[in-house]
Amino acid sequence: MATATRVPRTRLTQRAEVDSYLRKASRITVRHRHGDVVAVIEIVSPGNKSSRAEFRTLVEKSAELIRQGIHLVVIDLFPPGKRDPQGIHKAIWDEFQEDEDFQLPSETPLTLASYDAGPECVAYVEFIGVGDCLPEMPLFLRPGHYVPGPLEETYQTAWSNFPAALKGLL
């Protein structure tokens, strides 16, 4: 099959800049040895919160993964904003249990949540503040069974191996 090389002729052509943060999406997929996705680790970026559409995409994608039986860990180290005034967990959890009473602690507004997508969805949520050590979070591989995710140790190891010349740029 041949492909066209000229610009398509339509009544309207629109272009939009793609948010550079979205191209830097941080997501890790854990697969079974047979290839099935078992779990996803989502590290929220500013791009995920940059627009109503991007935020809804993140929330709906997260809920859909859980509904499909895929376990999820969400790491949101950015303060709540107008799209998530009670944090990312509340926005995701509202897809399952809307109107459930929940108040994000003001002194620890950053959210880490691990979702066991078993027959009954269970959320394990931690709240931290800026400068706090990252907690260990469970990464579920099947309902009720998880491996501990040592986030602080993993971060410190990665940072110690990061090139010193580049550390100054951050």
Side-chain angles (χ1 to χ4, degrees), residues 159 162-170:
W159 183 250
F162 197 74
L166 297 176
K167 286 181 179 179
L169 299 174
L170 300 176

Side-chain angles (χ1 to χ4, degrees), residues 104-125:
L104 184 68
S106 60
E107 66 282 356
T108 53
L110 311 179
T111 307
L112 300 101
S114 179
Y115 301 92
D116 179 347
E120 175 187 43
C121 180
V122 181
Y124 299 87
V125 186

Side-chain angles (χ1 to χ4, degrees), residues 40-91:
V40 171
I41 301 171
E42 179 78 43
I43 302 173
V44 178
S45 75
N48 294 128
K49 295 183 176 188
S50 66
S51 72
R52 187 171 41 88
E54 294 303 331
F55 185 72
R56 285 303 311 155
T57 297
L58 172 65
V59 169
E60 290 169 4
K61 177 191 68 175
S62 297
E64 187 56 30
L65 287 169
I66 295 166
R67 284 187 186 104
Q68 291 177 9
I70 298 170
H71 308 288
L72 177 66
V73 175
V74 177
I75 301 170
D76 184 6
L77 301 179
F78 295 96
K82 63 183 176 182
R83 295 178 229 302
D84 65 338
Q86 293 300 314
I88 192 69
H89 167 67
K90 171 76 167 127

Side-chain angles (χ1 to χ4, degrees), residues 118-136:
E120 175 187 43
C121 180
V122 181
Y124 299 87
V125 186
E126 286 286 345
F127 306 103
I128 62 172
V130 174
D132 290 350
C133 286
L134 296 170
E136 185 174 273

